[in-house]
C-alpha cells in the first residue's frame, strides 16, 4: 500500500464570507497539512515515485515546497537539502531546520535558488524536487478536488473555484482534479499579487513571459515565469480561467480579516485568493458579466503557508503601511 504524506483536509463553510458574496463559500483548508500548505500532496506523490532509493532530495523554494520536501524526506528517512533565496523570511530557514533539512541561502529570488538546486542534483546525484512544474506534482495536488467533490456530494457543483497562482503548480493540479470529477465547466478565478503576476502577464502577452523582478511581498508567489502547462490551460477553449491581480495591501487585509473571522493565520500568497471575496472582486466580476449573477457555491483553496507568524505579520503591516 502506498503511504500518503498528506491529510484529507477539512472543507468548511464560512458564514461571514458567504454573507459577503451572497452564496455559500466553502474553504478547503490546506493550511492544515502537516507541512503547512497544499504542497505536501504533490511533493509527497513525486517523492513516492522518484525518491525511494535516493541518497537525498534537493528542492529550491521560497518556503512551502521546501517545507513539504523536508517533511516528506524526514518521513522517508532520506536527507533533504533545501535551497532558499535571501528574500525568504528567516522563520522559513528555522522551520526547515526543525524538519531536519540542510538549508542553503542562495541568490535573491527563487530562480537563483533553483539554478543551484539543479546544479546540486547534477553534481551530487540528488533527486531534484521541482516546486511546481512536474506532472507528478499536479497529480498529487488533484487529490484535493477529489476530496471536495466527495464532501459536497454528486448534487453540488461549485459556481467557481478561487485559487492563488505562483508558478502554476496548484492551478494545474486543481484543473486536473476538476477534469477527474467532471467540473470542466466550472470557472476558475486565478489570483496573483501585483509584482508576482507572471501568469497574468503571460495571458496579456499571449505567450510566456519572465518578469524582471519579484516586487510583491507575497514572496511565495514569487516565480518570475509561470509553468508552460498553466499557460496552455489558459489558452484552452474548454476551460474558463479568469486571471485577476490584487494589490499587496488587499492580500494583507484579506489575511487579517481571515484571522479575525476564521481564527486562522495564512500567508500573503494565500491572501491573494481570499482577497477575491474580501475586496469585492467577485462582485465586480458578476457586475462585468464574467461570473453569473446567480452564482453557485464558491470553493476557495486556502493554500496555507509556513512563512508567516505574528512578527512577520507586523513587519508586513509596517512595510505596506496598513
Amino acid at each position: 500500500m502506498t503511504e500518503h504524506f498528506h491529510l484529507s483536509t477539512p472543507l468548511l463553510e464560512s458564514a461571514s464570507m458567504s454573507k459577503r458574496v451572497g452564496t455559500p463559500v466553502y474553504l478547503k483548508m490546506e493550511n492544515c497539512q502537516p507541512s503547512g500548505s497544499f504542497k505536501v500532496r504533490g511533493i509527497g506523490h513525486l517523492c513516492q515515485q522518484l525518491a525511494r532509493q535516493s541518497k537525498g532530495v534537493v528542492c529550491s523554494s521560497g518556503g512551502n515546497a521546501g517545507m513539504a520536501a523536508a517533511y516528506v524526506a524526514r518521513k522517508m528517512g532520506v536527507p533533504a537539502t533545501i535551497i532558499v533565496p535571501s528574500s525568504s523570511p528567516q522563520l522559513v530557514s528555522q522551520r526547515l531546520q526543525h524538519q531536519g533539512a540542510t538549508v542553503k541561502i542562495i541568490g535573491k529570488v527563487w530562480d537563483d535558488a533553483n539554478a543551484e538546486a539543479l546544479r546540486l542534483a547534477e553534481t551530487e546525484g540528488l533527486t531534484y524536487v521541482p516546486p511546481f512544474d512536474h506532472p507528478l506534482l499536479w497529480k498529487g495536488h488533484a487529490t484535493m478536488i477529489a476530496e471536495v467533490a466527495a464532501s459536497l456530494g454528486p448534487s453540488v457543483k461549485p459556481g467557481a473555484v478561487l485559487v492563488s497562482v505562483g508558478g502554476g503548480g496548484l492551478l494545474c493540479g486543481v484543473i486536473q482534479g476538476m477534469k477527474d470529477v467532471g467540473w470542466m465547466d466550472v470557472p476558475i478565478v486565478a489570483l496573483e499579487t501585483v509584482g508576482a503576476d507572471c501568469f497574468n502577464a503571460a495571458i496579456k502577452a499571449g505567450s510566456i513571459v519572465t518578469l524582471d523582478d519579484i516586487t510583491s511581498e507575497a514572496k511565495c508567489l514569487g516565480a518570475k515565469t509561470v509553468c508552460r502547462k498553466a499557460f496552455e490551460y489558459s489558452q484552452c477553449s474548454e476551460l474558463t480561467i479568469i486571471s485577476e491581480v490584487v494589490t499587496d495591501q488587499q492580500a494583507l487585509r484579506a489575511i487579517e480579516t481571515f484571522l479575525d473571522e476564521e481564527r486562522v493565520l495564512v500567508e500573503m500568497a494565500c491572501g491573494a485568493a481570499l482577497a477575491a471575496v474580501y475586496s469585492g472582486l467577485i462582485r465586480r466580476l458578476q457586475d462585468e458579466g464574467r461570473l453569473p449573477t446567480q452564482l453557485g457555491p464558491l470553493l476557495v483553496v486556502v493554500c496555507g503557508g509556513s512563512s508567516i507568524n505574528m512578527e512577520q505579520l507586523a513587519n508586513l503591516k509596517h512595510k505596506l503601511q496598513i
Side-chain angles (χ1 to χ4, degrees):
M1 185 186 123
T2 309
E3 182 195 355
H4 285 311
F5 298 104
H6 68 265
L7 304 176
S8 179
T9 53
L11 183 72
L12 305 179
E13 188 176 349
S14 167
S16 56
M17 290 174 103
S18 301
K19 198 167 175 221
R20 283 171 195 268
V21 286
T23 191
V25 174
Y26 291 102
L27 305 170
K28 184 57 171 161
M29 301 295 280
E30 288 296 294
N31 59 297
C32 296
Q33 292 292 359
S35 69
S37 82
F38 75 95
K39 293 272 191 188
V40 73
R41 289 181 186 269
I43 285 174
H45 182 64
L46 180 128
C47 288
Q48 284 268 340
Q49 306 293 316
L50 304 183
R52 283 206 170 280
Q53 308 303 317
S54 175
K55 60 180 191 176
V57 300
V58 61
C59 179
S60 53
S61 168
N64 293 311
M67 281 299 291
Y71 173 79
V72 169
R74 181 167 67 78
K75 288 291 184 189
M76 290 176 75
V78 171
T81 304
I82 313 297
I83 318 289
V84 300
S86 60
S87 56
S88 296
Q90 195 187 354
L91 156 76
V92 171
S93 296
Q94 285 168 348
R95 289 186 172 168
L96 288 167
Q97 283 159 347
H98 291 163
Q99 288 286 357
T102 301
V103 180
K104 294 186 175 182
I105 299 169
I106 303 280
K108 183 176 164 244
V109 292
W110 171 78
D111 305 71
D112 305 332
N114 193 47
E116 174 65 8
L118 289 166
R119 189 188 72 75
L120 282 179
E122 187 71 30
T123 56
E124 297 187 18
L126 301 175
T127 303
Y128 172 68
V129 177
F132 54 81
D133 195 358
H134 198 288
L136 288 173
L137 296 178
W138 311 330
K139 193 174 177 193
H141 299 334
T143 55
M144 85 175 67
I145 300 298
E147 286 170 20
V148 173
S151 294
L152 291 178
S155 59
V156 180
K157 194 187 263 196
V161 177
L162 276 54
V163 61
S164 296
V165 177
L170 176 58
L171 177 65
C172 290
V174 163
I175 292 169
Q176 189 163 334
M178 289 169 71
K179 274 185 180 171
D180 295 343
V181 300
W183 289 357
M184 288 293 276
D185 55 336
V186 174
I188 297 167
V189 186
L191 282 308
E192 295 168 285
T193 50
V194 176
D197 47 357
C198 61
F199 183 56
N200 187 267
I203 289 173
K204 282 184 176 154
S207 63
I208 293 177
V209 295
T210 298
L211 302 177
D212 293 335
D213 196 9
I214 301 298
T215 53
S216 168
E217 289 301 325
K219 298 302 178 196
C220 287
L221 293 183
K224 293 203 285 190
T225 316
V226 78
C227 71
R228 178 162 296 281
K229 187 71 176 170
F231 176 70
E232 285 169 3
Y233 278 139
S234 76
Q235 305 298 299
C236 168
S237 58
E238 290 168 57
L239 285 164
T240 304
I241 300 178
I242 301 168
S243 168
E244 289 287 329
V245 176
V246 298
T247 64
D248 274 359
Q249 283 81 1
Q250 285 172 320
L252 181 57
R253 283 198 192 96
I255 65 176
E256 287 199 281
T257 309
F258 195 67
L259 179 58
D260 284 344
E261 293 187 354
E262 310 297 335
R263 310 170 307 286
V264 174
L265 180 60
V266 294
E267 67 186 28
M268 288 274 285
C270 185
L274 300 173
V277 172
Y278 291 133
S279 72
L281 189 133
I282 294 297
R283 281 283 162 93
R284 173 167 71 74
L285 292 175
Q286 288 176 295
D287 292 344
E288 290 171 1
R290 293 163 73 198
L291 282 176
T293 320
Q294 295 302 100
L295 193 58
L298 290 183
L299 170 62
V300 183
V301 178
V302 182
C303 52
S306 51
S307 64
I308 188 84
N309 60 11
M310 293 307 286
E311 187 186 357
Q312 187 64 16
L313 184 61
N315 290 344
L316 286 165
K317 288 176 72 166
H318 178 70
K319 258 186 183 169
L320 298 169
Q321 283 151 355
I322 287 187

